[in-house]
């Protein structure tokens, strides 16, 4: 159960209202960023393609991180110790 589920109803409702407000603000911010990109000459199709490619990149990166983690366990080292062996930067 989440920490919110153990709170009294009034407090939980306040937390939900706060979360809704934050999500609406995030939605507004994202809409503004999209409008800015469109005004810079990007098309919706181009933005959607870029987002799709970012999702694909993140999925591949996650798989790589998972494999590095399993290899680190097998070798009894940290994943950080494997980075130089595979010419990876810590920011990768």
């Amino acid at each position: 159960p989440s920490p919110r589920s153990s709170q009294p109803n009034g407090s939980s409702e306040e937390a939900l209202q706060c979360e809704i407000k934050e999500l609406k603000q995030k939605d507004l911010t994202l809409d503004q960023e999209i409008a800015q990109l469109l005004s810079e000459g990007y098309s919706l199709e181009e933005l959607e393609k870029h987002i799709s490619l970012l999702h694909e990149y993140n999925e591949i990166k996650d798989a790589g991180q998972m494999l590095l983690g399993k290899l680190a366990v097998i070798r009894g080292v940290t994943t950080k110790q494997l980075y130089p062996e595979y010419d990876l930067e810590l920011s990768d």
Side-chain angles (χ1 to χ4, degrees):
S2 70
R4 291 186 181 142
S5 64
S6 63
Q7 297 175 348
N9 281 344
S11 182
S12 179
E13 187 172 327
E14 280 180 30
L16 288 173
Q17 291 297 328
C18 184
E19 187 174 353
I20 289 169
K21 183 179 176 182
E22 289 172 3
L23 289 171
K24 285 182 178 181
Q25 180 58 46
K26 185 175 183 179
D27 185 48
L28 178 62
T29 300
L30 290 172
D31 284 344
Q32 290 170 342
E33 289 177 14
I34 290 170
Q36 174 68 31
L37 290 168
L38 291 173
S39 74
E40 293 174 5
Y42 294 97
S43 69
L44 283 178
E45 295 81 18
E46 189 176 17
L47 293 173
E48 289 172 3
K49 178 66 174 170
H50 186 72
I51 290 168
S52 175
L53 289 171
L54 284 172
H55 284 294
E56 185 177 347
Y57 166 81
N58 283 329
E59 289 174 7
I60 293 168
K61 183 177 177 181
D62 289 346
Q65 289 294 324
M66 183 185 67
L67 290 172
L68 275 177
K70 290 182 183 246
L71 183 59
V73 168
I74 290 169
R75 292 188 181 177
V77 298
T78 66
T79 54
K80 183 178 178 179
Q81 291 171 309
L82 293 175
Y83 274 56
E85 183 176 339
Y86 295 98
D87 295 322
L88 298 171
E89 300 291 328
L90 288 177
S91 60
D92 286 340

